[in-house]
Amino acid sequence: MLALLVGLSLLWYGRHASTGSSHAGPIILISIDTLRADHLPAYGYTGVATPHLDALARDSAIFERAYSHSPQTLPAHASILTGELPFEHGVRDNIGFSVKPNQRTLPQLLGAHGYGTAGFVSSFVLRQDTGVGQGFALYDSEMPPAAPGAAIGQVQRDGGETLARVERWLDGQAGSRFFLFFHLYEPHTPYRPPARFARYSAYDGEIAYADEIVGRLLDSLKRRALYDAATIVVLSDHGEGLGDHGEREHGVFIYDESIRVPLIVKLPDNRGAGRRASAPVQHVDVAPTLLDLAGVARPAEWRGRSLRPLLEDGVALEEQGIYSESMYPRYHFGWSELTSLTDARYRFIKAPRTELYDLTSDPRETNNLAGARAQTEAAMGAALDRLTAGRSLGEPSAVSNETRERLQALGYVGTQSAVGAAVPGVALADPKDKVHVLEAYRRAIDFANERRFAEAVPVLRGILQTEPGMADVWQQLGNILSRLGRQQEAVDAFKRFVTLKPDDPGGLVLVAGTLMRMGRLDEAWSHAQLAAQVAPAHDRRARGSAYETLARIALRRNDPEAARRAAAEAHAADPSLPMPQYVQGRLLHMSGRYAEALPHFEEALRQLDARNVTLGEIHYYTGDTLARLERHGEAETRFRREVALFPQNSRAWAGLAMLYRATGRNREAEQAIADLLSRVPTAEAHGLAADLWTMFGEPQRAAAVRERARRLEARR
């Protein structure tokens, strides 16, 4: 039987290769982030309605067992667009990795054969800096402005806005020979579907919203007479845990709920519509398939296969083991990485405690057969080892002796990197044994997102009692303690983060910023200087952030020349960072020359329009300058923008309150003070609120707030 199938495959390839067949219609790749295959009606789910994806599925072939190679957005998309596995293209995590500059990609190869290429993405995770957009003539990864330090997974663009940009690009296309990559971040957390989908669970409501957006794109293609001739692929980068195997979200485990994804392929004129393929396929098969359909030769080194024989003629493909990995536990928590091999029947997971599942009889992977089916376990384990032989896990950047000495001079004793590649996974904790820690961590993050900071602190401290090597948790604890005004404790937490990751300049910047807020400017300067030294030359954002911090410290020191020098260095490292304009505006503002300061702030804001991560306090100082120039309406807009991006900026809330009081809007002034105390629950913020009530001539209110400030101070 196998010989017959191979013969049919050779016949098919010979027949199609001889014609050099291709089509001139558009190729459209739609990625719906974090979408489990088993939460779509096309795959048998009944918990949500997706009429637009259902209609597309009727015109398409459906792959019932398509798999991702990683439960993380950036590595998965790198595999989709390069046709290579994570250990081949080198992107192993959402943070700290990028696609190689010389990597051959699907858009690059299609572009070289006359296709117009454009990518539109909805998440900061897929920003241009990662290299995942290379090869596109246009790659739109512009996100709404976010505060520095915002979790990258939280920086996203509504899919409707991304679609609007796609529509504008389509308006400019003279022909139909183009490749469009369209990425939606729904249904990734946080789940916030429109109210019209409230009848569903939050996750399913986001799926319904994604379906609506996809439907609008499909309708647009039909109006433009592009749909019939189009090749359209709908897939996801990975799934979502939803509590299966103890994981609510994704990133750690590589069970079906996290790595089985939808794959729906519509061919021109709906060829092959109605086919359902049960054989396992994978992300790295997507790029070779699209190249084959376009008549473009695939790179010889690509591991993926073209699915065209199956799509057009129903020819079965030779079985191939499918590789998946999760490096997140190792890189972020110091636990073992996980790798797996999946075939038509079994999944083998390499971990400190090996796992083997019969997916035919146990699709939910509840019965670990490791040990009970020793022959299968040994064969799949050996195949996985052969596949990954000689592949490095990657080492953190080396810390120089000078850097180590400077760290020790700043009080960091016994510094060490996170778990290095030389440490085998079997020597580390098994993520299965740590899922409760992971979920406690995510519970603390939920508390923080809900501004329940005081509740988050004991959860994080509880984790660190048993897991003191979890650098990410120390950083998160420091962030929350800082929001609570417990700055010395925050410094201590950030220093523990630096101890664990001395090569990460971000930790040093966090220490420097906190020390600056405490008025310990010399210590802050030393930490920021070291951050600038540690930051890799190629990491423009990290270097820019370090010099930005130096400029802010120099402003606090009232050292204009040092501030200007640091601002120039920040702009040289990161040209998107308008620090020279900001610093000049600040210096003029400090001198009371508000009319002269304003153009500098406005120019800085103009330059920031092209930047995803905005600049702290720029809207505040612009608002304060406008208020002093009695341009109250414009000032209110800027203060409002500042508190929307930086709700912890107590001076911006105070600026709003004073503006409202000065213009006779007393009720709004009262609300601004209430918002200040809600968003910044610190003794300092209460003291500021008391000062405001005193200024407004309401001593009783001032006394009540000042008493609360004393109680908060006593709790420290």
Side-chain angles (χ1 to χ4, degrees), residues 247-279:
E247 185 176 24
R248 283 188 301 151
E249 297 180 22
H250 59 271
V252 172
F253 292 137
I254 45 179
Y255 301 113
D256 244 34
E257 61 266 17
S258 295
I259 62 169
R260 181 175 167 235
V261 295
L263 179 58
I264 300 169
V265 182
K266 177 207 164 297
L267 295 181
D269 302 318
N270 301 349
R271 297 196 307 272
R275 285 203 174 96
R276 298 189 75 97
S278 60

PDB file of all heavy atoms in Angstrom, residues 247-279:
ATOM      1  N   GLU A 247      -3.367  24.215  32.940  1.00  0.00           N
ATOM      2  CA  GLU A 247      -2.879  25.482  32.400  1.00  0.00           C
ATOM      3  C   GLU A 247      -4.038  26.272  31.803  1.00  0.00           C
ATOM      4  O   GLU A 247      -4.726  25.793  30.898  1.00  0.00           O
ATOM      5  CB  GLU A 247      -1.814  25.240  31.329  1.00  0.00           C
ATOM      6  CG  GLU A 247      -1.185  26.521  30.818  1.00  0.00           C
ATOM      7  CD  GLU A 247      -0.060  26.286  29.815  1.00  0.00           C
ATOM      8  OE1 GLU A 247      -0.046  25.223  29.164  1.00  0.00           O
ATOM      9  OE2 GLU A 247       0.810  27.161  29.694  1.00  0.00           O
ATOM     10  N   ARG A 248      -4.244  27.493  32.291  1.00  0.00           N
ATOM     11  CA  ARG A 248      -5.357  28.305  31.797  1.00  0.00           C
ATOM     12  C   ARG A 248      -5.055  28.921  30.441  1.00  0.00           C
ATOM     13  O   ARG A 248      -5.950  29.051  29.607  1.00  0.00           O
ATOM     14  CB  ARG A 248      -5.678  29.423  32.784  1.00  0.00           C
ATOM     15  CG  ARG A 248      -6.442  28.988  34.016  1.00  0.00           C
ATOM     16  CD  ARG A 248      -6.863  30.212  34.803  1.00  0.00           C
ATOM     17  NE  ARG A 248      -5.714  31.013  35.220  1.00  0.00           N
ATOM     18  CZ  ARG A 248      -5.746  32.330  35.415  1.00  0.00           C
ATOM     19  NH1 ARG A 248      -6.859  33.001  35.190  1.00  0.00           N
ATOM     20  NH2 ARG A 248      -4.672  32.987  35.808  1.00  0.00           N
ATOM     21  N   GLU A 249      -3.826  29.358  30.248  1.00  0.00           N
ATOM     22  CA  GLU A 249      -3.483  30.055  29.011  1.00  0.00           C
ATOM     23  C   GLU A 249      -2.581  29.163  28.154  1.00  0.00           C
ATOM     24  O   GLU A 249      -2.993  28.073  27.768  1.00  0.00           O
ATOM     25  CB  GLU A 249      -2.865  31.413  29.336  1.00  0.00           C
ATOM     26  CG  GLU A 249      -3.863  32.330  30.062  1.00  0.00           C
ATOM     27  CD  GLU A 249      -3.307  33.693  30.400  1.00  0.00           C
ATOM     28  OE1 GLU A 249      -2.332  34.120  29.739  1.00  0.00           O
ATOM     29  OE2 GLU A 249      -3.833  34.342  31.335  1.00  0.00           O
ATOM     30  N   HIS A 250      -1.390  29.585  27.845  1.00  0.00           N
ATOM     31  CA  HIS A 250      -0.526  28.785  26.981  1.00  0.00           C
ATOM     32  C   HIS A 250       0.916  29.201  27.222  1.00  0.00           C
ATOM     33  O   HIS A 250       1.190  30.208  27.875  1.00  0.00           O
ATOM     34  CB  HIS A 250      -0.897  29.006  25.509  1.00  0.00           C
ATOM     35  CG  HIS A 250      -0.786  30.444  25.089  1.00  0.00           C
ATOM     36  ND1 HIS A 250      -1.833  31.335  25.201  1.00  0.00           N
ATOM     37  CD2 HIS A 250       0.258  31.173  24.594  1.00  0.00           C
ATOM     38  CE1 HIS A 250      -1.446  32.524  24.792  1.00  0.00           C
ATOM     39  NE2 HIS A 250      -0.187  32.466  24.418  1.00  0.00           N
ATOM     40  N   GLY A 251       1.823  28.439  26.672  1.00  0.00           N
ATOM     41  CA  GLY A 251       3.237  28.771  26.766  1.00  0.00           C
ATOM     42  C   GLY A 251       4.070  27.674  27.377  1.00  0.00           C
ATOM     43  O   GLY A 251       5.250  27.531  27.040  1.00  0.00           O
ATOM     44  N   VAL A 252       3.487  26.880  28.281  1.00  0.00           N
ATOM     45  CA  VAL A 252       4.271  25.858  28.977  1.00  0.00           C
ATOM     46  C   VAL A 252       4.070  24.478  28.350  1.00  0.00           C
ATOM     47  O   VAL A 252       5.032  23.848  27.902  1.00  0.00           O
ATOM     48  CB  VAL A 252       3.924  25.829  30.479  1.00  0.00           C
ATOM     49  CG1 VAL A 252       4.599  24.642  31.159  1.00  0.00           C
ATOM     50  CG2 VAL A 252       4.367  27.128  31.140  1.00  0.00           C
ATOM     51  N   PHE A 253       2.843  24.009  28.285  1.00  0.00           N
ATOM     52  CA  PHE A 253       2.606  22.627  27.872  1.00  0.00           C
ATOM     53  C   PHE A 253       2.427  22.504  26.361  1.00  0.00           C
ATOM     54  O   PHE A 253       2.103  23.475  25.666  1.00  0.00           O
ATOM     55  CB  PHE A 253       1.390  22.064  28.599  1.00  0.00           C
ATOM     56  CG  PHE A 253       1.607  21.891  30.079  1.00  0.00           C
ATOM     57  CD1 PHE A 253       0.628  22.265  30.989  1.00  0.00           C
ATOM     58  CD2 PHE A 253       2.792  21.369  30.573  1.00  0.00           C
ATOM     59  CE1 PHE A 253       0.817  22.111  32.353  1.00  0.00           C
ATOM     60  CE2 PHE A 253       2.994  21.204  31.933  1.00  0.00           C
ATOM     61  CZ  PHE A 253       2.004  21.583  32.830  1.00  0.00           C
ATOM     62  N   ILE A 254       2.638  21.299  25.878  1.00  0.00           N
ATOM     63  CA  ILE A 254       2.513  21.016  24.447  1.00  0.00           C
ATOM     64  C   ILE A 254       1.567  19.833  24.234  1.00  0.00           C
ATOM     65  O   ILE A 254       1.829  18.931  23.449  1.00  0.00           O
ATOM     66  CB  ILE A 254       3.889  20.792  23.786  1.00  0.00           C
ATOM     67  CG1 ILE A 254       4.786  19.877  24.615  1.00  0.00           C
ATOM     68  CG2 ILE A 254       4.588  22.120  23.550  1.00  0.00           C
ATOM     69  CD1 ILE A 254       6.146  19.607  23.967  1.00  0.00           C
ATOM     70  N   TYR A 255       0.448  19.888  24.958  1.00  0.00           N
ATOM     71  CA  TYR A 255      -0.642  18.949  24.721  1.00  0.00           C
ATOM     72  C   TYR A 255      -1.519  19.491  23.585  1.00  0.00           C
ATOM     73  O   TYR A 255      -1.345  20.617  23.114  1.00  0.00           O
ATOM     74  CB  TYR A 255      -1.465  18.763  25.991  1.00  0.00           C
ATOM     75  CG  TYR A 255      -0.677  18.252  27.180  1.00  0.00           C
ATOM     76  CD1 TYR A 255      -0.466  19.061  28.301  1.00  0.00           C
ATOM     77  CD2 TYR A 255      -0.143  16.969  27.182  1.00  0.00           C
ATOM     78  CE1 TYR A 255       0.251  18.592  29.405  1.00  0.00           C
ATOM     79  CE2 TYR A 255       0.574  16.491  28.281  1.00  0.00           C
ATOM     80  CZ  TYR A 255       0.767  17.311  29.381  1.00  0.00           C
ATOM     81  OH  TYR A 255       1.477  16.851  30.457  1.00  0.00           O
ATOM     82  N   ASP A 256      -2.516  18.708  23.192  1.00  0.00           N
ATOM     83  CA  ASP A 256      -3.347  19.066  22.047  1.00  0.00           C
ATOM     84  C   ASP A 256      -4.004  20.438  22.189  1.00  0.00           C
ATOM     85  O   ASP A 256      -4.110  21.185  21.221  1.00  0.00           O
ATOM     86  CB  ASP A 256      -4.436  17.997  21.839  1.00  0.00           C
ATOM     87  CG  ASP A 256      -4.284  17.274  20.514  1.00  0.00           C
ATOM     88  OD1 ASP A 256      -3.128  17.071  20.074  1.00  0.00           O
ATOM     89  OD2 ASP A 256      -5.312  16.913  19.921  1.00  0.00           O
ATOM     90  N   GLU A 257      -4.464  20.761  23.406  1.00  0.00           N
ATOM     91  CA  GLU A 257      -5.173  22.032  23.560  1.00  0.00           C
ATOM     92  C   GLU A 257      -4.283  23.236  23.242  1.00  0.00           C
ATOM     93  O   GLU A 257      -4.775  24.305  22.881  1.00  0.00           O
ATOM     94  CB  GLU A 257      -5.733  22.178  24.980  1.00  0.00           C
ATOM     95  CG  GLU A 257      -4.685  22.171  26.079  1.00  0.00           C
ATOM     96  CD  GLU A 257      -4.440  20.787  26.679  1.00  0.00           C
ATOM     97  OE1 GLU A 257      -4.827  19.795  26.038  1.00  0.00           O
ATOM     98  OE2 GLU A 257      -3.868  20.718  27.786  1.00  0.00           O
ATOM     99  N   SER A 258      -2.968  23.053  23.338  1.00  0.00           N
ATOM    100  CA  SER A 258      -2.043  24.155  23.096  1.00  0.00           C
ATOM    101  C   SER A 258      -1.428  24.144  21.705  1.00  0.00           C
ATOM    102  O   SER A 258      -1.061  25.200  21.189  1.00  0.00           O
ATOM    103  CB  SER A 258      -0.916  24.140  24.134  1.00  0.00           C
ATOM    104  OG  SER A 258      -1.420  24.397  25.425  1.00  0.00           O
ATOM    105  N   ILE A 259      -1.289  22.967  21.097  1.00  0.00           N
ATOM    106  CA  ILE A 259      -0.569  22.932  19.814  1.00  0.00           C
ATOM    107  C   ILE A 259      -1.407  22.432  18.638  1.00  0.00           C
ATOM    108  O   ILE A 259      -0.965  22.521  17.487  1.00  0.00           O
ATOM    109  CB  ILE A 259       0.730  22.105  19.910  1.00  0.00           C
ATOM    110  CG1 ILE A 259       0.439  20.645  20.266  1.00  0.00           C
ATOM    111  CG2 ILE A 259       1.703  22.746  20.884  1.00  0.00           C
ATOM    112  CD1 ILE A 259       1.647  19.735  20.104  1.00  0.00           C
ATOM    113  N   ARG A 260      -2.605  21.915  18.885  1.00  0.00           N
ATOM    114  CA  ARG A 260      -3.458  21.544  17.746  1.00  0.00           C
ATOM    115  C   ARG A 260      -4.214  22.790  17.300  1.00  0.00           C
ATOM    116  O   ARG A 260      -4.881  23.449  18.097  1.00  0.00           O
ATOM    117  CB  ARG A 260      -4.435  20.439  18.134  1.00  0.00           C
ATOM    118  CG  ARG A 260      -5.321  20.009  16.969  1.00  0.00           C
ATOM    119  CD  ARG A 260      -6.214  18.841  17.320  1.00  0.00           C
ATOM    120  NE  ARG A 260      -7.251  18.665  16.314  1.00  0.00           N
ATOM    121  CZ  ARG A 260      -8.554  18.624  16.559  1.00  0.00           C
ATOM    122  NH1 ARG A 260      -9.001  18.726  17.795  1.00  0.00           N
ATOM    123  NH2 ARG A 260      -9.417  18.475  15.585  1.00  0.00           N
ATOM    124  N   VAL A 261      -4.097  23.110  16.033  1.00  0.00           N
ATOM    125  CA  VAL A 261      -4.638  24.369  15.519  1.00  0.00           C
ATOM    126  C   VAL A 261      -5.523  24.093  14.308  1.00  0.00           C
ATOM    127  O   VAL A 261      -5.391  23.068  13.638  1.00  0.00           O
ATOM    128  CB  VAL A 261      -3.500  25.330  15.109  1.00  0.00           C
ATOM    129  CG1 VAL A 261      -2.680  25.736  16.318  1.00  0.00           C
ATOM    130  CG2 VAL A 261      -2.604  24.707  14.041  1.00  0.00           C
ATOM    131  N   PRO A 262      -6.449  25.004  13.997  1.00  0.00           N
ATOM    132  CA  PRO A 262      -7.214  24.863  12.758  1.00  0.00           C
ATOM    133  C   PRO A 262      -6.323  25.108  11.543  1.00  0.00           C
ATOM    134  O   PRO A 262      -5.382  25.905  11.605  1.00  0.00           O
ATOM    135  CB  PRO A 262      -8.284  25.953  12.881  1.00  0.00           C
ATOM    136  CG  PRO A 262      -7.709  26.945  13.825  1.00  0.00           C
ATOM    137  CD  PRO A 262      -6.836  26.184  14.771  1.00  0.00           C
ATOM    138  N   LEU A 263      -6.624  24.438  10.462  1.00  0.00           N
ATOM    139  CA  LEU A 263      -5.988  24.705   9.176  1.00  0.00           C
ATOM    140  C   LEU A 263      -7.038  24.475   8.098  1.00  0.00           C
ATOM    141  O   LEU A 263      -7.458  23.343   7.845  1.00  0.00           O
ATOM    142  CB  LEU A 263      -4.770  23.810   8.944  1.00  0.00           C
ATOM    143  CG  LEU A 263      -4.057  24.011   7.600  1.00  0.00           C
ATOM    144  CD1 LEU A 263      -3.578  25.450   7.434  1.00  0.00           C
ATOM    145  CD2 LEU A 263      -2.880  23.037   7.450  1.00  0.00           C
ATOM    146  N   ILE A 264      -7.491  25.575   7.519  1.00  0.00           N
ATOM    147  CA  ILE A 264      -8.535  25.572   6.505  1.00  0.00           C
ATOM    148  C   ILE A 264      -7.938  26.184   5.243  1.00  0.00           C
ATOM    149  O   ILE A 264      -7.409  27.303   5.290  1.00  0.00           O
ATOM    150  CB  ILE A 264      -9.766  26.386   6.978  1.00  0.00           C
ATOM    151  CG1 ILE A 264     -10.344  25.774   8.257  1.00  0.00           C
ATOM    152  CG2 ILE A 264     -10.822  26.474   5.897  1.00  0.00           C
ATOM    153  CD1 ILE A 264     -11.373  26.650   8.946  1.00  0.00           C
ATOM    154  N   VAL A 265      -8.003  25.459   4.123  1.00  0.00           N
ATOM    155  CA  VAL A 265      -7.352  25.907   2.889  1.00  0.00           C
ATOM    156  C   VAL A 265      -8.367  25.941   1.755  1.00  0.00           C
ATOM    157  O   VAL A 265      -8.904  24.895   1.356  1.00  0.00           O
ATOM    158  CB  VAL A 265      -6.170  25.001   2.509  1.00  0.00           C
ATOM    159  CG1 VAL A 265      -5.484  25.543   1.245  1.00  0.00           C
ATOM    160  CG2 VAL A 265      -5.172  24.901   3.657  1.00  0.00           C
ATOM    161  N   LYS A 266      -8.623  27.139   1.251  1.00  0.00           N
ATOM    162  CA  LYS A 266      -9.481  27.311   0.078  1.00  0.00           C
ATOM    163  C   LYS A 266      -8.607  27.530  -1.158  1.00  0.00           C
ATOM    164  O   LYS A 266      -7.778  28.437  -1.193  1.00  0.00           O
ATOM    165  CB  LYS A 266     -10.406  28.515   0.263  1.00  0.00           C
ATOM    166  CG  LYS A 266     -11.283  28.796  -0.962  1.00  0.00           C
ATOM    167  CD  LYS A 266     -11.660  30.254  -1.041  1.00  0.00           C
ATOM    168  CE  LYS A 266     -12.193  30.644  -2.405  1.00  0.00           C
ATOM    169  NZ  LYS A 266     -11.212  30.498  -3.502  1.00  0.00           N
ATOM    170  N   LEU A 267      -8.804  26.725  -2.187  1.00  0.00           N
ATOM    171  CA  LEU A 267      -8.072  26.862  -3.435  1.00  0.00           C
ATOM    172  C   LEU A 267      -8.886  27.691  -4.435  1.00  0.00           C
ATOM    173  O   LEU A 267     -10.096  27.875  -4.257  1.00  0.00           O
ATOM    174  CB  LEU A 267      -7.784  25.485  -4.026  1.00  0.00           C
ATOM    175  CG  LEU A 267      -6.861  24.579  -3.210  1.00  0.00           C
ATOM    176  CD1 LEU A 267      -6.651  23.259  -3.938  1.00  0.00           C
ATOM    177  CD2 LEU A 267      -5.521  25.248  -2.930  1.00  0.00           C
ATOM    178  N   PRO A 268      -8.248  28.193  -5.484  1.00  0.00           N
ATOM    179  CA  PRO A 268      -9.001  28.909  -6.520  1.00  0.00           C
ATOM    180  C   PRO A 268     -10.148  28.059  -7.060  1.00  0.00           C
ATOM    181  O   PRO A 268     -10.010  26.845  -7.249  1.00  0.00           O
ATOM    182  CB  PRO A 268      -7.938  29.169  -7.591  1.00  0.00           C
ATOM    183  CG  PRO A 268      -6.646  29.204  -6.837  1.00  0.00           C
ATOM    184  CD  PRO A 268      -6.796  28.180  -5.754  1.00  0.00           C
ATOM    185  N   ASP A 269     -11.268  28.711  -7.270  1.00  0.00           N
ATOM    186  CA  ASP A 269     -12.477  28.049  -7.773  1.00  0.00           C
ATOM    187  C   ASP A 269     -12.949  26.931  -6.847  1.00  0.00           C
ATOM    188  O   ASP A 269     -13.666  26.019  -7.281  1.00  0.00           O
ATOM    189  CB  ASP A 269     -12.255  27.503  -9.188  1.00  0.00           C
ATOM    190  CG  ASP A 269     -11.846  28.606 -10.156  1.00  0.00           C
ATOM    191  OD1 ASP A 269     -12.434  29.708 -10.074  1.00  0.00           O
ATOM    192  OD2 ASP A 269     -10.924  28.380 -10.960  1.00  0.00           O
ATOM    193  N   ASN A 270     -12.532  27.001  -5.585  1.00  0.00           N
ATOM    194  CA  ASN A 270     -12.962  26.049  -4.550  1.00  0.00           C
ATOM    195  C   ASN A 270     -12.590  24.610  -4.870  1.00  0.00           C
ATOM    196  O   ASN A 270     -13.280  23.663  -4.455  1.00  0.00           O
ATOM    197  CB  ASN A 270     -14.477  26.143  -4.327  1.00  0.00           C
ATOM    198  CG  ASN A 270     -14.919  27.524  -3.899  1.00  0.00           C
ATOM    199  OD1 ASN A 270     -14.096  28.373  -3.568  1.00  0.00           O
ATOM    200  ND2 ASN A 270     -16.219  27.761  -3.919  1.00  0.00           N
ATOM    201  N   ARG A 271     -11.477  24.425  -5.605  1.00  0.00           N
ATOM    202  CA  ARG A 271     -11.038  23.060  -5.894  1.00  0.00           C
ATOM    203  C   ARG A 271     -10.771  22.319  -4.580  1.00  0.00           C
ATOM    204  O   ARG A 271     -10.166  22.856  -3.665  1.00  0.00           O
ATOM    205  CB  ARG A 271      -9.758  23.070  -6.740  1.00  0.00           C
ATOM    206  CG  ARG A 271      -9.929  23.692  -8.113  1.00  0.00           C
ATOM    207  CD  ARG A 271      -8.763  23.333  -9.029  1.00  0.00           C
ATOM    208  NE  ARG A 271      -7.468  23.628  -8.468  1.00  0.00           N
ATOM    209  CZ  ARG A 271      -6.830  24.785  -8.580  1.00  0.00           C
ATOM    210  NH1 ARG A 271      -7.416  25.795  -9.224  1.00  0.00           N
ATOM    211  NH2 ARG A 271      -5.636  24.968  -8.060  1.00  0.00           N
ATOM    212  N   GLY A 272     -11.194  21.086  -4.522  1.00  0.00           N
ATOM    213  CA  GLY A 272     -10.970  20.269  -3.326  1.00  0.00           C
ATOM    214  C   GLY A 272     -11.893  20.585  -2.179  1.00  0.00           C
ATOM    215  O   GLY A 272     -11.705  20.069  -1.069  1.00  0.00           O
ATOM    216  N   ALA A 273     -12.907  21.430  -2.406  1.00  0.00           N
ATOM    217  CA  ALA A 273     -13.829  21.791  -1.329  1.00  0.00           C
ATOM    218  C   ALA A 273     -14.500  20.546  -0.768  1.00  0.00           C
ATOM    219  O   ALA A 273     -14.877  19.637  -1.512  1.00  0.00           O
ATOM    220  CB  ALA A 273     -14.884  22.765  -1.840  1.00  0.00           C
ATOM    221  N   GLY A 274     -14.639  20.505   0.535  1.00  0.00           N
ATOM    222  CA  GLY A 274     -15.300  19.382   1.189  1.00  0.00           C
ATOM    223  C   GLY A 274     -14.369  18.301   1.673  1.00  0.00           C
ATOM    224  O   GLY A 274     -14.797  17.407   2.408  1.00  0.00           O
ATOM    225  N   ARG A 275     -13.097  18.342   1.265  1.00  0.00           N
ATOM    226  CA  ARG A 275     -12.159  17.318   1.737  1.00  0.00           C
ATOM    227  C   ARG A 275     -11.841  17.549   3.217  1.00  0.00           C
ATOM    228  O   ARG A 275     -11.676  18.671   3.672  1.00  0.00           O
ATOM    229  CB  ARG A 275     -10.857  17.359   0.940  1.00  0.00           C
ATOM    230  CG  ARG A 275     -10.981  16.769  -0.451  1.00  0.00           C
ATOM    231  CD  ARG A 275      -9.620  16.306  -0.976  1.00  0.00           C
ATOM    232  NE  ARG A 275      -9.810  15.622  -2.239  1.00  0.00           N
ATOM    233  CZ  ARG A 275      -9.687  16.176  -3.433  1.00  0.00           C
ATOM    234  NH1 ARG A 275      -9.348  17.444  -3.530  1.00  0.00           N
ATOM    235  NH2 ARG A 275      -9.886  15.474  -4.530  1.00  0.00           N
ATOM    236  N   ARG A 276     -11.727  16.472   3.950  1.00  0.00           N
ATOM    237  CA  ARG A 276     -11.291  16.522   5.343  1.00  0.00           C
ATOM    238  C   ARG A 276     -10.143  15.540   5.481  1.00  0.00           C
ATOM    239  O   ARG A 276     -10.325  14.336   5.281  1.00  0.00           O
ATOM    240  CB  ARG A 276     -12.427  16.182   6.304  1.00  0.00           C
ATOM    241  CG  ARG A 276     -13.600  17.163   6.242  1.00  0.00           C
ATOM    242  CD  ARG A 276     -14.595  16.907   7.368  1.00  0.00           C
ATOM    243  NE  ARG A 276     -14.101  17.390   8.649  1.00  0.00           N
ATOM    244  CZ  ARG A 276     -14.415  18.569   9.177  1.00  0.00           C
ATOM    245  NH1 ARG A 276     -15.214  19.400   8.520  1.00  0.00           N
ATOM    246  NH2 ARG A 276     -13.945  18.933  10.357  1.00  0.00           N
ATOM    247  N   ALA A 277      -8.981  16.060   5.795  1.00  0.00           N
ATOM    248  CA  ALA A 277      -7.782  15.225   5.908  1.00  0.00           C
ATOM    249  C   ALA A 277      -7.507  14.941   7.368  1.00  0.00           C
ATOM    250  O   ALA A 277      -7.437  15.861   8.188  1.00  0.00           O
ATOM    251  CB  ALA A 277      -6.598  15.945   5.275  1.00  0.00           C
ATOM    252  N   SER A 278      -7.357  13.680   7.706  1.00  0.00           N
ATOM    253  CA  SER A 278      -7.126  13.291   9.098  1.00  0.00           C
ATOM    254  C   SER A 278      -5.653  13.064   9.408  1.00  0.00           C
ATOM    255  O   SER A 278      -5.282  12.927  10.573  1.00  0.00           O
ATOM    256  CB  SER A 278      -7.917  12.022   9.421  1.00  0.00           C
ATOM    257  OG  SER A 278      -7.522  10.962   8.570  1.00  0.00           O
ATOM    258  N   ALA A 279      -4.799  13.015   8.374  1.00  0.00           N
ATOM    259  CA  ALA A 279      -3.372  12.789   8.622  1.00  0.00           C
ATOM    260  C   ALA A 279      -2.750  14.014   9.283  1.00  0.00           C
ATOM    261  O   ALA A 279      -3.107  15.154   8.958  1.00  0.00           O
ATOM    262  CB  ALA A 279      -2.662  12.493   7.309  1.00  0.00           C
TER     263      ALA A 279
END
